[in-house]
Structures are given as C-alpha cells and as structure tokens.
Amino acid sequence: MTAKTYSISELARELDVTTRTIRFYEEQGMLLPTRRGQERIYTAKDRVALKLILRGKRIGFSLAECKTLIELYDPQGDNRNQLEIMLGKIAERRLQLEQQLLDIQQMQLELDTAEERCRAALLEVPETR
C-alpha cells in the first residue's frame, strides 16, 4: 500500500491556504516535499507539519517556535517531549496575552481620563460665532 501524498494545490485547497504560503514554509525548511520533475510531492508528515504551523501561527507562536515543535514530531514515536514543550509554549503565550489584556485595559483607562479632560475643557471654552 502506498502512503498518501499531496500536490501543492491539493494541500493548499485542503488547508485553505495559498500555494505561495506553502512555498514560503518550504523555503524556511519547515516542509520538505520530494520532487517529480517540477511537481512538489508532499507526504502526510508535511501535511501534519503544515497543520501545526497554521495552528501555531493562529495562537501567536513565532515561526521559530513552530519549527521547534515540528522538529520534535515523530509520526511513529512517542511525542511526549513535543507535547510537554507545546504545553510550556501555550502557558507562555497565555501569560503574554494576559499581560497584553492588562496593558489594553490600562490604555482604555488613560483614554477615558483624556476624554473626560477634553470634554471638561470644552465646556470652559466660550463658543464663537
């Protein structure tokens, strides 16, 4: 039985990305298709790697972090190490988001204060006609 392979257009269509996106990740060394003439042939491992990249990017991981996680993936092995590192990265990202949320809330308070001062100052300025 032959392992399932994908063309670049099949992979792009299935994962709803452009072929240019796939080529970019290939240039970064994150996907390693074989070639049949000019045609790129992607394996199930490439498909999983691309899914990990896309998921990682959605939750704010850098390309370097995604690459680290992909390098730890072993389709036949124990992925305990990969999963533990992923959990650590998720915890780090959660802390970053919590800090960003606090920063946004602080900025909103500062905007409220600035707005109140502007409105109060406007009441003191005589109207001109």
Side-chain angles (χ1 to χ4, degrees):
M1 185 167 134
T2 314
K4 172 82 171 127
T5 60
Y6 306 85
S7 70
I8 193 168
S9 57
E10 288 172 329
L11 208 52
R13 192 171 34 257
E14 182 179 332
L15 299 177
D16 197 27
V17 295
T18 64
T19 56
R20 185 165 190 239
T21 297
I22 294 172
R23 284 192 298 273
F24 171 78
Y25 294 130
E26 184 182 335
E27 289 165 9
Q28 301 302 309
M30 300 171 83
L31 300 174
L32 304 167
T34 56
R35 298 271 184 162
R36 189 180 319 138
Q38 291 293 324
E39 186 182 11
R40 293 168 166 88
I41 307 296
Y42 296 90
T43 63
K45 184 175 180 178
D46 291 316
R47 183 178 168 276
V48 169
L50 185 55
K51 286 177 80 171
L52 284 172
I53 293 165
L54 297 173
R55 183 177 301 136
K57 294 303 292 173
R58 267 195 315 273
I59 60 178
F61 289 173
S62 69
L63 278 182
E65 289 171 318
C66 291
K67 192 170 186 173
T68 298
L69 292 169
I70 290 166
E71 289 168 353
L72 293 170
Y73 175 73
D74 179 4
Q76 276 85 40
D78 175 13
N79 287 304
R80 180 175 213 72
N81 190 34
Q82 179 198 35
L83 294 170
E84 288 172 351
I85 290 172
M86 178 76 164
L87 285 172
K89 296 213 173 288
I90 288 170
E92 287 173 18
R93 184 66 182 132
R94 192 177 303 277
L95 286 173
Q96 289 171 344
L97 289 172
E98 288 170 3
Q99 184 57 56
Q100 286 176 333
L101 184 57
L102 290 173
D103 292 344
I104 289 169
Q105 290 168 339
Q106 182 61 42
M107 201 177 305
Q108 286 176 320
L109 289 173
E110 290 175 19
L111 287 169
D112 290 345
T113 301
E115 182 180 29
E116 286 173 23
R117 287 183 181 160
C118 287
R119 291 192 186 285
L122 265 178
L123 293 175
E124 296 176 16
V125 175
E127 284 190 38
T128 56
R129 287 198 178 173

